[in-house]
Amino acid sequence: MRMYDIIMKKRNGGELSKEELRFFIENYTKGEIPDYQVSALMMAIYFQKMSEAETFELTMAMAESGEMLDLSGIQGIKVDKHSTGGVGDKTSLALTPMVAACGLPVAKMSGRGLGHTGGTIDKLESFPRFSTSLTTEQFMENVNRIGIAIMGQTADLAPADKKLYALRDVTATVDNLSLIASSIMSKKLASGADAIVLDVKTGSGAFMKKEEDAFALAEEMVKIGRSAGRTMSALVTDMDQPLGNAVGNSLEVLEAINTLQGKGPADFTELVYALGSEMLVAGKKANTLAEAKGMLEEVIGNGNALEKLAEFVAAQGGDRNAVYDTSLLPKAKESEEIPAPQEGYVSKIVCDEIGSCCLMLGGGRETKESVIDLSVGIILHKKVGDCVKAGESLATMYYNDQAKADAAMERFLKAYSFSSQEPPKTAFIKGKV
Ligand code: URA
């Protein structure tokens, strides 16, 4: 078999066989196929697309390119949750202690920030001394002992995805349905959960900008998971503006803590209840979504979810006091209000631009080697549909470097549009697959 023939077949619109896809993934993982040939194949896939059968075979080949975690040492049904990524997406920080406090074991692999989107692992490192570098044994031990552990993707888990993602990132081949589906599902299948709940984002801050594409992606991932014998469900949710109000690592941790105290923003609270209910039903801790929601409300009301976060932080070496005394979280030295340039209703926020502003402040990586400033970010005070007076604060920017803040402020203002008419209200949860 030759890589040249595989590229040519896809370029001409052919359907790749299981053997051809396995040949490509196995040899690329071993370093025997150069990036330039794989870049050409990615671009051919981007334009010619892949069938469902091809996408499934690609996913399985990627999942099996490294270690397939065996979580059978953890008692109970293991339910994982994965978001396709967005701005202000701190869902796992609040959701995982909530469901763990309801008795559902959470054994989760999370990622770092990517492009304009943030990552759970970076956010968790806002807790002083917190570590996500656990061995598989420590990971399982923590889940069995306290019901929750989160670790970073190990080098052995779906290594083909690691290489392919880095390549797609720089060859303009990220936003293809089959490539996203296989990338996400290969990691999820390799990390061993019995049931997977997906949060597929749509809008200007998501990889799938159009709602119909997000539904198609959700359907494809659900089919892949079911074909691999997993229990699956997916919600398609809004990412046309940042989720909640906080964007930036420690600011998002703070918002997650507020949410665990029942004081979270409405959209974020709606999302964690909806995803948490799906997880509890998938894990057979509740028979109906309504029953599950009641359980989640209880652990928020009685403080058990917040205490579960503190237990989890302590179990991974972090300072549990920071959960109850948030002044211990990283804090930026300076802050500045961003005044509205005109009066009217906020009619649109270009969501990925807000993510990029946070990146410019130092809250994300410019290069693989960059060290993140966990303290910087933005708290939005006005979101789409809100009415604002000229000069009123749209947001507070938290920063440590004036030049970076000036540049980010200019960019921030360009991301907001205003109108004299109230924009139509849109549903936050678009639907379920
Ligand atoms: N997240 C992933 O892990 N992979 C993609 O391709 C897109 C989002």
Side-chain angles (χ1 to χ4, degrees), residues 82-85 114 153 161 165 168 173-176 179-185 187 207:
H82 191 86
S83 152
T84 57
L114 185 76
Q153 187 182 348
D161 172 63
Y165 197 92
R168 287 166 55 217
T173 50
V174 171
D175 50 341
N176 169 273
L179 296 177
I180 296 178
S182 55
S183 164
I184 292 176
M185 289 307 295
K187 285 178 287 224
F207 290 117

Side-chain angles (χ1 to χ4, degrees), residues 46-116:
Y46 185 87
F47 282 113
Q48 293 292 359
K49 310 208 170 12
M50 280 180 130
S51 66
E52 267 177 32
E54 283 176 299
T55 308
F56 178 72
E57 293 304 344
L58 176 65
T59 308
M60 294 313 290
M62 284 164 69
E64 289 162 15
S65 65
E67 184 190 7
M68 297 288 279
L69 266 192
D70 176 7
L71 298 183
S72 57
I74 299 172
Q75 299 116 32
I77 302 175
K78 275 74 67 185
V79 185
D80 200 352
K81 163 260 158 196
H82 191 86
S83 152
T84 57
V87 179
D89 189 354
K90 71 283 294 172
T91 308
S92 295
L93 303 178
L95 177 64
T96 52
M98 282 166 72
V99 296
C102 293
L104 186 72
V106 176
K108 185 157 172 49
M109 300 265 166
S110 288
R112 295 195 180 271
L114 185 76
H116 68 274

Side-chain angles (χ1 to χ4, degrees), residues 116-133:
H116 68 274
T117 69
T120 301
I121 298 292
D122 295 327
K123 292 172 199 181
L124 281 170
E125 287 176 354
S126 301
F127 288 107
R129 301 183 299 280
F130 187 92
S131 167
T132 50
S133 315

